[in-house]
Amino acid sequence: MSRKLAAKILLISLVLFSSPLIAAEKHIGILVYDKVLSSDVTAPAEVFGVATRKSWFSDYKVLLIGVDRDATVVTTEEGIRLTVDTTIYDNPNLDALIVTSSYVMDSLFENKDLTAFLKKQAENVSWLASNCSGAFLYAHAGLLDGYTATTWAGGEKQLQREFPKINVIEDRNIVVDRNRISSNGGVPSYQGALVLLAQMSSERKAKQVFETIQLNRLIPWKEVTRYFPEK
């Protein structure tokens, strides 16, 4: 065997056996827009961002999804600028969709393109999740009719009054009903994301992320597992 041929065989072997297998990416979508509440975005982005660095979740990627056709950056209520990865007009292929909240959401409720996007995603994704008043977005699209859900702490009665087909739960941070997960805003957004992660992977794996972000220094793990659906 010539040296040149041997070198080619060695190179091919190195490529085949040293390169990691490239898995098809799955996507966790988080809806973003100007004046969105920062924690509604950063909580699930951190939870799932940490998870994607684990071998057992490395085929997932977090996408920030804008509601405007041409916007590449949005500014949160608290002044944080976020780069948009894709928009509702790009029809991203998602495995889970998390909708977020703002203090004023009327323009979102009236956005027919957004409503159509939510309805289409509901037909394809494995999970729909909401933080805070994001539940109202799903409600306006009719996607919580016949489901049990919650919303921002103090807004439960309004959600029930405006959407009587929803079974609204009060005084509960997280509600899981089939493939719908809704949570209060703020710190409970972390709990909601961890509950969703546990359903998409396992309790043990979600606990790894819980400890990695050191949420265990603030609340015990049982404050997350109490919201897991009964098996």
Side-chain angles (χ1 to χ4, degrees):
M1 182 184 297
S2 69
R3 291 184 178 181
K4 184 178 292 187
L5 179 58
K8 286 183 178 180
I9 293 174
L10 177 61
L11 178 60
I12 292 172
S13 298
L14 287 172
V15 170
L16 289 176
F17 296 104
S18 299
S19 299
L21 294 176
I22 301 174
E25 280 189 343
K26 302 176 184 178
H27 296 106
I28 312 294
I30 303 175
L31 197 72
V32 296
Y33 42 87
D34 282 328
K35 297 297 183 180
V36 66
L37 297 181
S38 297
S39 60
D40 278 14
V41 180
T42 57
E46 182 174 9
V47 167
F48 285 101
V50 168
T52 61
R53 297 199 295 273
K54 307 289 187 181
S55 60
W56 46 264
F57 211 71
S58 59
D59 55 343
Y60 282 88
K61 181 179 180 180
V62 177
L63 296 177
L64 299 188
I65 303 174
V67 301
D68 297 316
R69 192 181 297 273
D70 300 318
T72 57
V73 175
V74 299
T75 303
T76 72
E77 174 69 28
E78 295 79 13
I80 299 174
R81 290 168 60 84
L82 302 172
T83 301
V84 175
D85 295 305
T86 186
T87 77
I88 61 173
Y89 298 97
D90 298 322
N91 296 316
N93 184 23
L94 306 175
D95 193 58
L97 173 63
I98 302 169
V99 297
T100 53
S101 69
S102 176
Y103 290 131
V104 180
M105 302 185 69
D106 290 347
S107 63
L108 296 173
F109 301 151
E110 297 166 2
N111 186 328
K112 294 181 180 179
D113 290 339
L114 175 57
T115 299
F117 168 78
L118 296 176
K119 288 182 176 180
K120 183 175 181 179
Q121 289 297 323
E123 296 175 356
N124 299 307
V125 301
S126 299
W127 293 93
L128 292 177
S130 64
N131 293 332
C132 200
S133 55
F136 280 81
L137 276 174
Y138 284 141
H140 276 274
L143 298 175
L144 290 180
D145 289 354
Y147 285 85
T148 300
T150 192
T151 184
W152 57 278
E156 299 94 346
K157 286 183 173 59
Q158 179 185 348
L159 183 63
Q160 187 68 84
R161 182 175 63 253
E162 295 183 8
F163 302 96
K165 293 182 180 180
I166 303 173
N167 178 30
V168 181
I169 301 297
E170 297 187 43
D171 301 323
R172 186 175 173 85
N173 289 356
I174 318 294
V175 171
V176 182
D177 186 357
R178 287 159 283 178
N179 72 332
R180 309 289 202 263
I181 297 180
S182 51
S183 78
N184 297 159
V187 173
S189 297
Y190 276 96
Q191 292 174 285
L194 286 163
V195 170
L196 175 55
L197 177 60
Q199 305 314 303
M200 296 177 69
S201 56
S202 70
E203 178 179 335
R204 178 182 60 82
K205 292 171 180 176
K207 189 178 180 182
Q208 288 181 27
V209 173
F210 171 80
E211 293 172 347
T212 298
I213 63 177
Q214 297 193 40
L215 195 58
N216 57 311
R217 296 177 68 88
L218 296 178
I219 60 174
W221 176 239
K222 67 180 180 181
E223 285 301 314
V224 176
T225 59
R226 65 182 293 198
Y227 300 112
F228 288 176
E230 294 183 3
K231 297 180 179 179

